[in-house]
Amino acid sequence: MTSKLAKIKNFPTNPVEFFKQLLQAATEGKPAGYLPEMNLATVDEEFGVLNRTVLYRGLTKDNFLYYITHSYTRNCKNLKANPNKAGITFYWTNVKDKQGRESNWQVRLIGATAVELPESELDAMWAKEDLAAKIRGHICPCGQPIDHDELKAKHDQFLQEHLASGKPIPRPDTYTAFKFEPQRWDFLNVAINEIADRVQYRLQANGQWESMHVST
Ligand SMILES: Cc1cc2nc3c(=O)[nH]c(=O)nc-3n(C[C@H](O)[C@H](O)[C@H](O)COP(=O)(O)O)c2cc1C
């Protein structure tokens, strides 16, 4: 039996750069177009907190990560009601570093504020959605009880009409996206038989990031 202390070395001064480096390592070998999942926690009026898996869609021009949703979901409603109370977690296993060491990473955005992206950016995002996602955006009442056969009939009819029309599926008004502006980024690294190390970046009043190792 062995035991070691993990140590995160040579991390960049900017947390988004660190995130990008890790994301690249974590998604190496994945097919083109692969989108990593992240867990998004929000404040919910009924349940207090509510979390769910969503897809990480990339970084905005001003370097904040964003995701896409619909206005009828609870995640969207929750973010609109409590925009400055969001948390995000990524967990990546067996990530290889340049020396070939395999380890696991948890990346968290703590105390994040969600900012809805402007309408002008949505068309380009909608154009990249796959067909199933486009149809879902039109026919699915998120979170409502459904009858599978009824929904299937609705789906098949929508698909048939779409194929017959030869026209693109319009972006529904419900389609939207949010970016997240965190107060802290937290990176945890651990491998087998190790005690994890964490590096935390804390946003200072002057807009700079202060970074430090924190205990696991
Ligand atoms: C792999 C995966 C990816 C998902 N991606 C998204 C997403 O990008 N946006 C989204 O609103 N829901 C996504 N969902 C569905 C959510 O997890 C959730 O079920 C749905 O948004 C309803 O959440 P709510 O309880 O906040 O309304 C995804 C689910 C899975 C399993």
Side-chain angles (χ1 to χ4, degrees), residues 37-115:
E37 303 84 18
M38 59 191 198
N39 192 278
L40 167 65
T42 56
V43 170
D44 184 82
E45 206 176 82
E46 188 176 4
F47 300 112
V49 292
L50 195 61
N51 63 334
R52 76 286 289 156
T53 310
V54 296
L55 292 180
Y56 162 81
R57 297 296 186 125
L59 293 168
T60 55
K61 284 190 199 96
D62 50 358
N63 245 2
F64 295 107
L65 64 83
Y66 73 97
Y67 88 115
I68 291 174
T69 189
H70 284 269
S71 55
Y72 46 68
T73 61
R74 279 198 188 234
N75 51 81
C76 180
K77 289 176 187 160
N78 290 354
L79 292 177
K80 284 188 173 173
N82 281 294
N84 59 352
K85 287 195 164 46
I88 287 180
T89 307
F90 293 85
Y91 180 57
W92 296 317
T93 56
N94 307 113
V95 181
K96 265 197 189 149
D97 69 13
K98 289 192 180 114
Q99 287 71 44
R101 171 181 173 264
E102 275 197 6
S103 63
N104 306 324
W105 287 90
Q106 173 182 259
V107 180
R108 292 162 73 201
L109 279 76
I110 298 173
T113 295
V115 179

Side-chain angles (χ1 to χ4, degrees), residues 15-16 24 43 70 74-75 84 86 109 120 123 145 154 169 175 180 184 189 191 201 203 205 207:
V16 181
Q24 196 175 18
V43 170
H70 284 269
R74 279 198 188 234
N75 51 81
N84 59 352
L109 279 76
S120 56
D123 279 338
K154 207 167 152 188
I169 298 175
Y175 186 79
F180 294 95
R184 292 187 183 180
N189 180 236
Y201 295 75
L203 189 60

